[in-house]
Amino acid sequence: MGSKFVQFVCRVLLLVSIVKVGAQQAVFDVMNHGGVADGKTDNSKWFCMGGCKGPIGVQIEGTLLAPEELESSVDIDHWIAFQYVDNLVINGGGSLDGQGPSAWPFNDCLKNPQCKRLPTSLRLDFVTNASIDRITSINSKNVHINIFASQNITISNIKISAPGDSPNTDGIHLGSSHNIQILDSVIATGDDCISFSTGTNNVNISGVRCGPGHGISIGSLGKVDGDDVSFVDIRNCSFVGTQNGVRVKTWAPSEAGTVSHLNVENIEMDNVENPIIIDQQYCPSRSCNAEEFSKVQIKDVKFKNIWGTSSTKYVVTLKCSQTSPCQEIELTDINLNYNGLEGSGVSACSNVEVEAYGQQTPPACTEKIMM
């Protein structure tokens, strides 16, 4: 790793952290201070600089390897984290290699409620006015990039990759964050390309290619009372071979919450299992009950100019809650084809207020979902 301007405090084995940044700026090049680029040496001590002050710039060149040892791979929150920073820039064209295969066998959370957490590759907590540009994240042990309680963040021209069967390797996860832009990036993972948790609003996603992976997911929401995601704009994106296109999912049963002002526009689907899906009976584990209903209110959601192919018969699925039906859902110019052995594609709906405009292939809501 080389840098023109790098400042941060690190923890052992490249668990990096920044706190309480002030008003000065300095320059620190790891390679000029003892760093050894042999892919074996633990260089974490060369990142430890004491208290950093001023705007932070991190330039990554080459490949930074995460540790593979068990003590640095299991029951660890993160590998690299920046906290309480104003004005942060991460760029350089280099790569973060999380060396995920060393930890993925320990991911048993669907079966084990006492499972141990695995580290996120890069966390931004309580960060304002930041950009992440032209870096690559490979094989994270868990989520690749996690943004929490942050605002005014731009992520652009990044590449994220992990095998399609790698567990919980979400590309970018957003929580309790505002004014986020994710632009012109390629994300291929074993989980959601981009995922949202509660308290996230004013998000613009454009020019993202997703696949493989589970698509872009709002939720899952409803675990706690008051979950809210709003004012999300997703446009000019493509999905290739993903499990879902754009999905809204809420737990069954759930606490009260809201998803509103979601706009999905100019989207290409290529062999996607569920191109358009709202699932308010999301229940992937034994800790929920798919026969009960969600209290999360979904309203003002627009799907416009969505085209391409589905790998399953159910091209559009709007499975809304019986106790909190979806409101103000619009389908405009939908042209999604299923060419499999089960006949024509289907748009299936339940407990939803839908208005359809322009082309509708398949015709909107011709089949009712039995709850």
Side-chain angles (χ1 to χ4, degrees):
M1 172 179 174
S3 67
K4 293 180 180 177
F5 56 109
V6 178
Q7 296 180 313
F8 44 79
V9 180
C10 78
R11 299 177 185 172
V12 176
L13 290 174
L14 293 180
L15 276 73
V16 182
S17 182
I18 297 184
V19 295
K20 303 292 185 182
V21 177
Q24 297 179 351
Q25 185 175 18
V27 177
F28 184 83
D29 190 326
V30 172
M31 298 304 294
N32 292 336
H33 290 80
V36 179
D38 61 0
K40 300 177 181 179
T41 302
D42 172 15
N43 289 292
S44 59
K45 61 183 177 181
W46 306 118
F47 294 93
C48 300
M49 296 177 58
C52 302
K53 297 182 179 181
I56 306 300
V58 179
Q59 184 165 348
I60 301 172
E61 299 173 359
T63 300
L64 193 60
L65 297 175
E68 294 183 284
E69 294 79 8
L70 184 64
E71 61 270 21
S72 299
S73 300
V74 178
D75 204 19
I76 298 292
D77 178 73
H78 62 268
W79 172 28
I80 300 170
F82 297 87
Q83 302 170 336
Y84 299 99
V85 180
D86 182 36
N87 292 310
L88 170 69
V89 176
I90 302 173
N91 59 22
S95 300
L96 302 176
D97 186 344
Q99 303 205 91
S102 66
W104 295 335
F106 297 97
N107 187 319
D108 60 351
C109 294
L110 285 179
K111 300 178 181 179
N112 176 17
Q114 305 301 319
C115 64
K116 294 182 178 180
R117 59 186 176 176
L118 302 179
T120 293
S121 278
L122 175 63
R123 287 191 66 102
L124 271 61
D125 299 330
F126 308 99
V127 171
T128 57
N129 304 310
S131 69
I132 303 173
D133 182 63
R134 300 187 188 281
I135 67 167
T136 297
S137 179
I138 305 165
N139 289 344
S140 177
K141 295 179 175 72
N142 200 325
V143 175
H144 286 257
I145 300 174
N146 193 321
I147 310 294
F148 175 73
S150 298
Q151 59 182 334
N152 302 329
I153 311 295
T154 298
I155 301 172
S156 59
N157 302 297
I158 66 167
K159 295 180 181 179
I160 292 175
S161 66
D165 60 353
S166 56
N168 298 115
T169 53
D170 293 52
I172 301 170
H173 180 74
L174 307 174
S176 300
S177 295
H178 319 290
N179 301 326
I180 310 296
Q181 294 198 80
I182 303 173
L183 310 172
D184 303 324
S185 296
V186 177
I187 304 175
T189 72
D191 210 297
D192 296 324
C193 290
I194 302 171
S195 58
F196 292 70
S197 61
T198 186
T200 299
N201 57 55
N202 294 313
V203 178
N204 173 40
I205 299 171
S206 179
V208 170
R209 184 188 188 277
C210 170
H214 294 182
I216 295 179
S217 291
I218 312 295
S220 51
L221 300 175
K223 276 291 189 181
V224 297
D225 189 59
D227 276 358
D228 171 76
V229 173
S230 60
F231 295 98
V232 176
D233 189 87
I234 303 168
R235 65 178 64 216
N236 304 324
C237 295
S238 62
F239 297 80
V240 180
T242 52
Q243 183 185 89
N244 308 286
V246 176
R247 169 174 59 165
V248 180
K249 56 180 179 176
T250 68
W251 289 98
S254 81
E255 301 296 329
T258 304
V259 176
S260 65
H261 302 95
L262 168 62
N263 183 67
V264 182
E265 187 172 350
N266 299 336
I267 305 295
E268 181 179 9
M269 306 286 182
D270 182 356
N271 200 39
V272 173
E273 288 184 34
N274 303 291
I276 297 174
I277 178 168
I278 294 176
D279 183 3
Q280 292 210 260
Q281 286 188 297
Y282 181 69
C283 184
S285 66
R286 291 177 294 177
S287 62
C288 52
N289 185 348
E291 296 182 0
E292 299 190 42
F293 301 103
S294 172
K295 297 178 183 178
V296 176
Q297 178 67 70
I298 299 174
K299 62 182 180 181
D300 192 6
V301 177
K302 298 178 174 64
F303 296 95
K304 182 178 181 181
N305 195 28
I306 317 294
W307 74 93
T309 58
S310 172
S311 63
T312 65
K313 180 178 179 179
Y314 288 93
V315 173
V316 177
T317 301
L318 305 178
K319 184 165 60 174
C320 297
S321 171
Q322 184 171 311
T323 56
S324 300
C326 298
Q327 301 174 0
E328 302 174 51
I329 309 300
E330 292 186 10
L331 299 173
T332 302
D333 293 329
I334 307 300
N335 184 14
L336 293 166
N337 294 285
Y338 166 65
N339 298 319
L341 301 177
E342 299 180 61
S344 300
V346 170
S347 173
C349 306
S350 63
N351 306 310
V352 58
E353 173 190 295
V354 175
E355 294 193 16
Y357 304 96
Q359 180 178 358
Q360 295 294 321
T361 305
C365 294
T366 55
E367 184 172 311
K368 184 176 180 179
I369 300 172
M370 302 305 296
M371 306 292 283

